[in-house]
Amino acid sequence: ALEAGEGEVAALWRETRGWSLAAFEEIYGWLRVRFDHVFYESEMERPGRAAVEDGLARGVFRRSQGAVGIDLEPHGLGFFLLLKGDGTTLYATKDLALAEVKFERFGIQQSIYVVGAEQTLHFRQVFKTLELLGYEQARQCHHLAYGLVTLPEGKMSSRVGNIIPFSRLRAEMDAYIQANYLGAHRGDWSEEEIAETARRIAVAAIRYGMVKQDPSRSSVFALEEWLETEGDTGTYLCYAYTRIQSVLRQVAQARGLEPD
C-alpha cells in the first residue's frame, strides 16, 4: 500500500512524514547545516525496481524462491536479496538506485556513506553488486561506519524509555551554558546575543565531541563533560578562540596608538 502511494495508509504516511521532515529541518537550521541535494527514500522505489529488472535481464541477478538477488558467495558476502517475493523493495533496492542516480545524473566519482557500523556487511554487498554491474565508481565508494552514542549509564533504548530527544538535549545544553557561562553578561548583552552565543557553544560541543571520537567505537555522551571549558572539548575551543580574538583586538588598538 505504501509503495502504491494510494489509500489511507499512504495518506497517513505522507502526514507523519511531513512531521518528521519539518522536525529535521528545524534541527538542521539550529545546527546551520545545509544540503546541496536531498535524496528521498520513496523516490528510489521505482528506479530501484527498474535496476533490479535490468540486472535480471543482463543475467547478473537471479530469482530465488520468487525473490530476486545476487549470489555473492564467491566474494564471501552471501546472497544479497534485492527484491522480495511479493515484489516489494528493500533498502538494498533503493541503495542500488541511489548509487546509480549519483553516478549517472551527478557524475560522482567518489561516494562516502556515513552510516552506523551495524550496516557494514550491507554496504560491502552494495558496493560489490555495483562493481559487478559494471560501475567503476564502486571501487571509490566508502562506508564510514560509526558506533553508537551511549549515555554514561549505558545504551539508549526506546523500550526502556531512556532516549534523549534532540529538543530535550538542546534545552538542557542551553540551560547549562546560560547558567554557568553567560550569567555575567546579562547586563551587557541582549537576550538575542545570549541565546545565539549559547547556541554556538552547544553546536561546537556537539560537533567537536563527535568528530574527536574514533568513529568505529561507541561514544559516551555526558553533558557536563562535553561542556567543560578546559580540556579536549568544543567548549574550550570556543573559549580559546574568544581569548585569541580579544588579544588580537588589543594588539590592533595598541598599534593604532603608535606613531607612524
Side-chain angles (χ1 to χ4, degrees):
L2 282 173
E3 292 197 0
E6 300 174 353
E8 184 180 355
V9 173
L12 181 60
W13 166 74
R14 281 190 289 270
E15 183 179 12
T16 55
R17 174 181 182 267
W19 299 343
S20 294
L21 292 176
F24 284 134
E25 287 300 322
E26 201 274 332
I27 293 171
Y28 294 143
W30 185 80
L31 291 167
R32 301 296 190 267
V33 170
R34 71 172 183 85
F35 299 95
D36 293 327
H37 191 89
V38 177
F39 300 92
Y40 293 104
E41 181 185 344
S42 58
E43 295 175 348
M44 296 297 117
E45 290 170 0
R46 185 172 297 175
R49 190 174 281 104
V52 172
E53 293 297 332
D54 179 65
L56 270 173
R58 293 165 54 186
V60 180
F61 304 155
R62 66 180 177 85
R63 293 192 182 277
S64 175
Q65 300 178 7
V68 179
I70 179 171
D71 184 10
L72 298 178
E73 283 288 358
H75 308 283
L77 296 173
F79 186 83
F80 192 34
L81 189 63
L82 297 167
L83 202 66
K84 293 168 66 175
D86 62 3
T88 54
T89 58
L90 300 155
Y91 284 128
T93 327
K94 296 161 188 173
D95 278 329
L96 284 184
L98 177 60
E100 291 184 350
V101 168
K102 288 180 177 180
F103 297 155
E104 296 172 1
R105 190 187 307 170
F106 292 90
I108 287 176
Q109 295 298 315
Q110 183 180 38
S111 190
I112 300 173
Y113 293 72
V114 185
V115 186
E118 66 275 11
Q119 298 298 328
T120 296
L121 173 61
H122 169 80
F123 282 108
R124 288 180 64 195
Q125 292 173 321
V126 169
F127 301 157
K128 178 54 68 174
T129 300
L130 289 168
E131 183 182 330
L132 295 174
L133 285 170
Y135 289 102
E136 295 183 3
Q137 302 98 317
R139 298 180 182 275
Q140 295 300 318
C141 287
H142 176 65
H143 174 211
L144 179 56
Y146 60 85
L148 296 173
V149 177
T150 66
L151 300 174
E153 57 269 25
K155 181 179 177 180
M156 286 185 275
S157 170
S158 56
R159 290 185 179 181
V160 176
N162 65 341
I163 61 169
I164 301 180
F166 190 82
S167 57
R168 175 182 154 197
L169 170 66
R170 181 169 61 184
E172 289 183 359
M173 294 185 80
D174 180 75
Y176 186 92
I177 292 167
Q178 292 204 34
N180 290 276
Y181 306 140
L182 303 180
H185 300 288
R186 287 206 174 274
D188 304 317
W189 295 2
S190 68
E191 288 299 318
E192 290 76 13
E193 288 176 309
I194 290 176
E196 176 60 14
T197 301
R199 185 197 69 81
R200 293 188 181 193
I201 294 172
V203 170
I206 293 172
R207 285 185 171 178
Y208 186 75
M210 295 297 292
V211 300
K212 77 170 186 178
Q213 308 288 339
D214 178 346
S216 64
R217 303 178 63 181
S218 295
S219 305
V220 178
F221 176 79
L223 186 145
E224 293 186 11
E225 291 181 12
W226 284 39
L227 289 173
E228 283 284 350
T229 54
E230 297 180 354
D232 193 20
T233 68
T235 312
Y236 171 73
L237 290 179
C238 288
Y239 174 77
Y241 173 81
T242 302
R243 295 292 296 171
I244 291 169
Q245 292 301 308
S246 177
V247 170
L248 291 176
R249 283 195 299 270
Q250 292 179 45
V251 170
Q253 291 172 0
R255 286 179 174 177
L257 296 174
E258 293 176 358
D260 294 334

